[in-house]
Amino acid sequence: MNKTIFFTLVFFFISYTVKGQTYSLRGEVLNEKAEPLSSVAAVLLNANDSTLLYFSVTGAAGIYELNNIKKGSYLLQISLLGYRTFYKHIDIPLQPGEFHGPVILEPVVFSIDEVTISGERIPLRIRQDTIEYDARAYKVKPDAVAEDIIRKLPGIEVDRAGNIKALGEDVENVLVDGKEFFGSDPKVATKNLPADAIERVQLYDRPTDESQFTGIDDGERNPTLNLVLDDESKQGLFGDVSAGGGSDKSYQANAKLYRFTGKTQLAALGMTNNVNQYGFSVNDYINFSGGLNEFSSGGHILPESGGSFPVNFGQPVTGRGSGGAAGLNFSVSNADNDRFFISYLGNGSKRKTIETSLTKNYIPGGEFTENSNRELIKTDTAHRFNFGLRKKSGEKQNLILNGGLSFNSSDYPLTALSQRFTGNSLMNELERISDEGISGLSGNGDLSYLLKIKEGKTILGVSAKVEYSGNDSRLDFVNRTSFFNPAQEETVSQFLDIDESAANYSGSLSLTQKIAKSSFLDFVLSASYGDENMVRRQGNNIGEMSVNPALSPDFYKISRVLNPGIKLKFLSSESSLTLSLLSALGEYKSVLNNDPGVTQRYGYLNPGLSWEYSYRSGRRIMADYTSGVSTPSVIQLLPVVNNLNPLTLFYGNRQLKPEYFHNARISWWLFDQFSFTTLLSSLNLRYTINNTGYSRTVNEDLRQTMTLTNTGADFAAGMLIDFSTAVRPLAVKINLVLDNSYNRSISLINGRMNVNNTNTNRISFTVGNRNKEKWDLEAGTEITFTSTRYSVNNELNNRYHDYSFFSEARFSPGRKLSFLVSSDITRYSAGSFGQSLFIPLLNTETSLYLSKNQRAAFTLAAIDLFNRNTGVERLSEFNTLTDRRSNILGRYFMISFRYRLNKTGDSGNGVDIQVKSR
């Protein structure tokens, strides 16, 4: 392993450092009064196609400096908004005695008859609140998507899963021509929109819809990327189609069609494959599988449920299967502030998963292990609609409507075997065969209305929201349970039907009043009503079906909450401060089989604080504190046993109290636009009172009973330092991340309190070249250290670490060829898991572009050349350690053909300056 890593590192760092002799260019930029100009973009462009090669920004003294320049001819471009752009052809190195003196920029006051500039490309403009990039100034491969351009933009980083960070902050909003694109999922745009349709990329902090309408800064900011399309893309239909096939009967096909005008947007996406691609983005995967609620403490709490989902967060997608997806997005704007949009995303898949796991359970006096094997074939379908309306009536009224509707269904037959051991002695065994089908319908809608009673001083806000979800499930299962000390065996064949529904209705009223020049007082009142119902029928399905009344409850929960409060805001050009004092006055009542019910009432004060201070350009301190209340779900309250796994019985608890949580965060953010150095540091704290956890009882034959209970206080903390900068002598950019998380949780084991302390430290380092004209290189490593300590049997405390290394090299020698090689090396240490693992992955891709303007392309891809891909997951939670292995898509080769529609002419990246004589 060490040799592999060593030679891979040598390969990349040789490519970084062996560059031959390089040179520097330094200059000064002044205005017409000979005063220094700051924030001026000084770039060296390729003299042939005007793509950006070297970049710098002037500081307060008006000085720019370009370093590590290769010998050659360039076009120097110096630009600042409001001034005439300066151009000069320069040969590097400068000749002896040649001097590049100060550049004086002239304000744009010329007559159109004197100078005509056509096709001018200014790679980057810095405005007061917006950084604007010229997309055509950054060279990408002919069939690139928006994400490929974004990766090259100074000040913006994209990780391997496609998550975007701009100036140190996460970007969760991506617009196309200023409009929503497929709802709120940014990666649908960045991973699918063709790069050659984008003219400019704008980065700015987007105020909320309410703030934009009222003109009152509410202190909330959303880092946003806006992809501005070129005029050619708004003249007709464009997109691409592709299809491919390969070894092991692998196949894939995709189609993307777009039609944009000044008022409308229409996009259609389609895909099908059997190489574990189930949607158009990571968020699409999550929604496709029913959302992250599958990981919450709600849901069915089925011990063997097939709730795993095909999501790739930069890790392999487990299982093997085929799937397809389709999407449609439409929006229309009749005026600047009147817009309607609707989108649809649909998915379908069939996936086979084979999984083995080893779990160590720590109990008073010792430990026991559990070996499990599962095999399931899961079939899913999902359909989701999202829509919205923005309607401005005159200058004083604004209406905002958002909504969604989704339908999901799934079916997964399962076979499973689990065995529990004390030492080498087999204590019990469970063999299970089941088939489960689920269908669900959910929807939501929220409407808000704003009225300017007095411009800039008094604002009235009214909102209403409705949420509904309903699920029907049918489970047939056969459990064969065996005990070996003494010998005993039992077989149970049963059915389980569950009908669940949940509805929540809420509304709020707010009044904002200006009380001073930059101070506002908000009066807020909100209320909500919730209704959750569960009808469960369980019984024998051998011979004549019969319902077991003890296992077949009718159970529902009703909740009411009233939240009055006030907010005080102080705003200035450098800072914003919001102080809030809200209250939560509520109750929830659970009713079992029409009994009198159990009612829990609560009252909490929820203070809050949000402070942001920009003490210099690119320097920001932020602090916020929030508190709130979370009530238990209907499944957490249900006191009837869940015996689907007879070796582990689950009980809810009607006496659960609501969790009262406090979150605090302080962060310091720095971005230097001259050196493109970014530093983000933060400290997060979370404290939960009445935390919901498990009381666990394990008897002599290792049968368990788990009951939900309020375990006391839970504490979590995290610290993050994220630093990136350019190392100019090496012509590379580096990124260093130090991430620490700590959690203290409590569980009860056989009546004894177990305090579980888990500390995780992650260190990652990434390096990549800056000049990506032909070579685009990146390599990185990550080490994660995990320490787990238990108050029960502290001799079982455990430490382990995981190590990973990746590298990626793309070489584009011209417009006809592109080569890509990527590698991933992961090592899992043994620790308490018994063995270490070493997983090397290697992928290659070669593309050949054909026809005029590279409209057609053949691509040959080789995935997992070593055939070593393995699905591994290691978890430490409560008083258990789990090592889980899953089957995964292995080595395959595929050749595919892609054809782009409506690709015309050269991109016109060149700069043509014509000067007319008078």
Side-chain angles (χ1 to χ4, degrees):
M1 179 196 70
N2 292 332
K3 290 183 178 180
T4 303
I5 297 174
F6 173 76
F7 285 118
T8 308
L9 284 169
V10 168
F11 166 76
F12 278 100
F13 281 103
I14 285 177
S15 65
Y16 292 148
T17 57
V18 180
K19 295 178 177 298
Q21 187 174 2
T22 59
Y23 304 90
S24 298
L25 179 66
R26 190 171 187 269
E28 183 181 16
V29 183
L30 309 174
N31 62 14
E32 72 280 8
K33 298 179 181 180
E35 298 169 338
L37 286 174
S38 63
S39 301
V40 178
V43 299
L44 286 181
L45 307 174
N46 187 310
N48 296 322
D49 59 12
S50 296
T51 54
L52 182 146
L53 299 179
Y54 303 94
F55 174 83
S56 179
V57 178
T58 62
I63 302 297
Y64 67 86
E65 185 170 357
L66 298 158
N67 296 311
N68 301 298
I69 307 171
K70 292 181 180 180
K71 182 178 179 180
S73 296
Y74 300 93
L75 180 64
L76 174 65
Q77 181 190 73
I78 298 178
S79 59
L80 181 65
L81 190 66
Y83 291 83
R84 180 182 292 127
T85 302
F86 172 87
Y87 295 95
K88 182 178 180 180
H89 285 280
I90 288 182
D91 291 322
I92 300 294
L94 299 177
Q95 297 301 313
E98 184 180 0
F99 173 70
H100 178 64
V103 173
I104 298 177
L105 293 185
E106 301 177 15
V108 183
V109 293
F110 53 81
S111 167
I112 195 65
D113 291 332
E114 295 180 28
V115 179
T116 301
I117 302 179
S118 62
E120 180 176 345
R121 296 290 173 199
I122 300 176
L124 182 147
R125 295 180 186 268
I126 300 176
R127 306 187 183 185
Q128 184 176 0
D129 58 354
T130 302
I131 299 178
E132 183 174 276
Y133 305 88
D134 188 327
R136 302 297 173 81
Y138 301 88
K139 184 179 292 185
V140 293
K141 60 179 183 174
D143 58 353
V145 294
E147 183 180 287
D148 296 313
I149 285 182
I150 296 171
R151 287 180 183 274
K152 296 179 179 291
L153 303 181
I156 300 182
E157 300 174 13
V158 184
D159 67 18
R160 305 188 74 202
N163 301 303
I164 303 172
K165 183 174 287 187
L167 311 186
E169 296 183 286
D170 293 327
V171 175
E172 298 180 354
N173 298 301
V174 175
L175 308 178
V176 178
D177 277 345
K179 304 177 181 67
E180 293 82 0
F181 191 75
F182 280 98
S184 59
D185 187 347
K187 295 179 187 177
V188 176
T190 60
K191 289 184 174 292
N192 293 280
L193 201 64
D196 56 20
I198 301 172
E199 182 177 42
R200 287 171 286 135
V201 178
Q202 297 173 333
L203 170 65
Y204 56 91
D205 281 335
R206 184 190 187 196
T208 62
D209 291 329
E210 292 81 359
S211 179
Q212 292 182 62
F213 172 72
T214 62
I216 298 175
D217 191 342
D218 56 12
E220 295 184 25
R221 291 290 184 271
N222 299 298
T224 299
L225 281 180
N226 181 32
L227 308 178
V228 182
L229 304 180
D230 61 17
D231 291 337
E232 181 183 332
S233 299
K234 301 175 184 178
Q235 301 303 316
L237 192 70
F238 68 98
D240 63 71
V241 293
S242 67
S247 62
D248 200 18
K249 298 181 180 180
S250 59
Y251 67 86
Q252 67 86 22
N254 296 274
K256 305 171 186 176
L257 299 175
Y258 307 93
R259 178 72 169 93
F260 294 95
T261 69
K263 292 185 177 182
T264 62
Q265 289 186 356
L266 179 64
L269 309 175
M271 65 178 294
T272 182
N273 66 83
N274 65 350
V275 290
N276 281 13
Q277 299 297 318
Y278 297 97
F280 300 106
S281 75
V282 169
N283 287 355
D284 195 16
Y285 292 147
I286 296 175
N287 294 328
F288 171 45
S289 303
L292 289 174
N293 61 323
E294 294 198 16
F295 301 99
S296 68
S297 54
H300 296 321
I301 318 183
L302 302 184
E304 300 291 347
S305 175
S308 60
F309 65 105
V311 178
N312 184 353
F313 290 102
Q315 300 297 323
V317 178
T318 59
R320 297 194 62 172
S322 58
L328 187 67
N329 182 81
F330 174 75
S331 69
V332 58
S333 303
N334 295 321
D336 290 341
N337 295 292
D338 288 358
R339 184 169 77 259
F340 172 76
F341 54 90
I342 186 171
S343 65
Y344 163 79
L345 285 172
N347 307 73
S349 80
K350 186 175 183 179
R351 187 167 56 107
K352 182 177 182 179
T353 301
I354 301 173
E355 180 181 287
T356 63
S357 63
L358 169 64
T359 300
K360 293 189 176 184
N361 296 262
Y362 301 136
I363 58 177
E367 65 174 285
F368 71 90
T369 59
E370 180 174 356
N371 292 327
S372 299
N373 298 277
R374 301 195 322 153
E375 181 175 330
L376 67 91
I377 300 175
K378 187 176 182 183
T379 304
D380 294 278
T381 58
H383 306 274
R384 297 176 306 283
F385 295 88
N386 290 285
F387 59 88
L389 174 68
R390 308 289 185 265
K391 181 68 176 178
K392 183 178 179 181
S393 300
E395 295 298 324
K396 291 190 175 184
Q397 301 181 76
N398 193 36
L399 189 68
I400 300 173
L401 172 67
N402 293 295
L405 182 67
S406 67
F407 173 77
N408 298 270
S409 65
S410 63
D411 177 77
Y412 36 94
L414 167 75
T415 59
L417 174 66
S418 64
Q419 298 174 316
R420 294 178 180 175
F421 297 82
T422 298
N424 294 321
S425 300
L426 177 61
M427 301 298 294
N428 61 49
E429 175 179 280
L430 171 63
E431 185 177 359
R432 182 179 181 189
I433 301 175
S434 65
D435 189 7
E436 182 173 11
I438 301 175
S439 61
L441 176 69
S442 63
N444 65 84
D446 63 86
L447 179 68
S448 62
Y449 170 77
L450 295 173
L451 173 64
K452 297 180 182 178
I453 298 176
K454 195 170 184 180
E455 182 73 30
K457 292 186 177 181
T458 308
I459 308 295
L460 175 67
V462 181
S463 67
K465 186 174 185 178
V466 178
E467 298 174 289
Y468 170 82
S469 66
N471 291 282
D472 293 319
S473 64
R474 168 77 183 202
L475 172 67
D476 294 288
F477 64 95
V478 178
N479 287 339
R480 183 183 63 82
T481 310
S482 302
F483 299 92
F484 301 98
N485 189 21
Q488 179 184 351
E489 183 174 305
E490 179 184 15
T491 300
V492 175
S493 179
Q494 293 190 337
F495 70 90
L496 173 64
D497 290 338
I498 300 179
D499 183 4
E500 295 175 287
S501 65
N504 189 76
Y505 312 90
S506 60
S508 67
L509 181 69
S510 66
L511 182 67
T512 301
Q513 178 62 52
K514 186 175 183 179
I515 56 177
K517 183 179 179 180
S518 57
S519 302
F520 298 86
L521 184 63
D522 289 352
F523 298 93
V524 182
L525 176 65
S526 64
S528 66
Y529 172 83
D531 186 359
E532 298 179 66
N533 293 274
M534 172 185 288
V535 177
R536 195 173 91 179
R537 296 293 178 263
Q538 184 174 346
N540 296 324
N541 59 4
I542 298 179
E544 183 178 351
M545 296 178 60
S546 60
V547 174
N548 185 340
L551 300 175
S552 305
D554 290 354
F555 191 64
Y556 68 88
K557 169 196 171 186
I558 296 175
S559 59
R560 302 178 181 87
V561 185
L562 185 66
N563 302 107
I566 58 172
K567 295 182 180 180
L568 187 59
K569 301 177 181 178
F570 303 93
L571 307 174
S572 70
S573 58
E574 295 86 15
S575 67
S576 64
L577 173 64
T578 300
L579 303 173
S580 61
L581 182 61
L582 306 177
S583 58
L585 309 173
E587 67 174 20
Y588 52 93
K589 179 181 181 181
S590 62
V591 178
L592 175 63
N593 297 327
N594 296 315
D595 68 4
V598 175
T599 301
Q600 294 276 0
R601 294 183 175 86
Y602 60 90
Y604 291 100
L605 287 177
N606 296 328
L609 178 147
S610 176
W611 177 64
E612 181 176 314
Y613 176 48
S614 299
Y615 59 94
R616 278 181 55 192
S617 176
R619 308 292 194 272
R620 187 182 302 173
I621 298 176
M622 294 160 285
D624 60 79
Y625 161 71
T626 60
S627 56
V629 180
S630 176
T631 62
S633 66
V634 66
I635 191 64
Q636 292 176 307
L637 295 171
L638 179 63
V640 180
V641 64
N642 182 325
N643 66 350
L644 297 181
N645 183 342
L647 298 179
T648 304
L649 305 179
F650 288 83
Y651 288 87
N653 184 356
R654 299 175 78 181
Q655 304 299 325
L656 285 177
K657 299 177 182 179
E659 294 182 336
Y660 181 37
F661 60 86
H662 304 264
N663 292 327
R665 181 187 66 173
I666 184 168
S667 56
W668 178 48
W669 175 85
L670 177 151
F671 174 68
D672 184 358
Q673 66 182 12
F674 310 117
S675 63
F676 286 101
T677 296
T678 301
L679 175 63
L680 175 66
S681 59
S682 64
L683 175 65
N684 302 278
L685 302 173
R686 181 181 177 90
Y687 184 73
T688 304
I689 300 173
N690 296 328
N691 184 65
T692 301
Y694 281 109
S695 174
R696 186 180 188 195
T697 302
V698 183
N699 62 18
E700 293 181 353
D701 59 9
L702 302 186
R703 280 185 284 192
Q704 299 184 81
T705 300
M706 301 184 71
T707 304
L708 285 169
T709 185
N710 294 115
T711 58
D714 183 274
F715 175 75
M719 182 180 67
L720 173 70
I721 298 176
D722 189 327
F723 173 77
S724 62
T725 190
V727 183
R728 297 184 183 276
L730 298 177
V732 300
K733 183 176 182 179
I734 62 171
N735 175 246
L736 176 66
V737 177
L738 305 176
D739 188 7
N740 171 266
S741 63
Y742 169 79
N743 179 248
R744 177 188 181 274
S745 60
I746 298 174
S747 60
L748 299 175
I749 306 174
N750 289 354
R752 290 182 59 184
M753 178 182 294
N754 175 52
V755 181
N756 181 10
N757 293 276
T758 301
N759 188 35
T760 301
N761 292 277
R762 180 175 65 93
I763 303 172
S764 72
F765 178 77
T766 305
V767 59
N769 66 322
R770 300 184 67 214
N771 181 10
K772 300 179 181 291
E773 182 180 5
K774 290 186 177 181
W775 284 95
D776 190 346
L777 307 170
E778 190 173 22
T781 184
E782 180 174 295
I783 304 176
T784 302
F785 300 91
T786 302
S787 171
T788 304
R789 294 182 290 113
Y790 307 93
S791 62
V792 174
N793 296 357
N794 55 25
E795 69 273 10
L796 301 175
N797 294 345
N798 180 58
R799 291 183 179 182
Y800 59 94
H801 69 271
D802 301 328
Y803 170 85
S804 63
F805 172 82
F806 82 91
S807 62
E808 185 174 287
R810 181 181 294 278
F811 177 56
S812 302
R815 300 283 292 176
K816 296 294 185 180
L817 282 173
S818 177
F819 303 94
L820 173 67
V821 178
S822 64
S823 65
D824 289 85
I825 300 171
T826 305
R827 183 184 185 276
Y828 298 91
S829 66
S832 297
F833 295 105
Q835 67 175 359
S836 60
L837 288 175
F838 173 61
I839 304 173
L841 304 178
L842 181 65
N843 303 325
T844 67
E845 181 182 292
T846 302
S847 296
L848 173 64
Y849 301 99
L850 308 172
S851 74
K852 184 180 180 180
N853 298 312
Q854 297 79 44
R855 294 180 68 175
F858 282 100
T859 298
L860 175 62
I863 306 301
D864 188 17
L865 280 171
F866 299 142
N867 201 26
R868 295 285 300 275
N869 204 359
T870 304
V872 178
E873 184 179 19
R874 287 183 166 177
L875 303 172
S876 173
E877 55 185 4
F878 296 113
N879 58 312
T880 64
L881 283 174
T882 300
D883 181 290
R884 184 176 295 126
R885 313 284 178 88
S886 304
N887 68 317
I888 204 163
L889 185 67
R891 177 173 55 203
Y892 70 91
F893 302 87
M894 180 178 289
I895 185 168
S896 58
F897 176 76
R898 180 190 300 268
Y899 187 79
R900 292 185 294 158
L901 307 176
N902 195 36
K903 175 64 180 175
T904 61
D906 199 348
S907 60
N909 284 339
V911 179
D912 179 23
I913 305 178
Q914 303 173 3
V915 181
K916 295 184 179 180
S917 59
R918 303 188 66 175

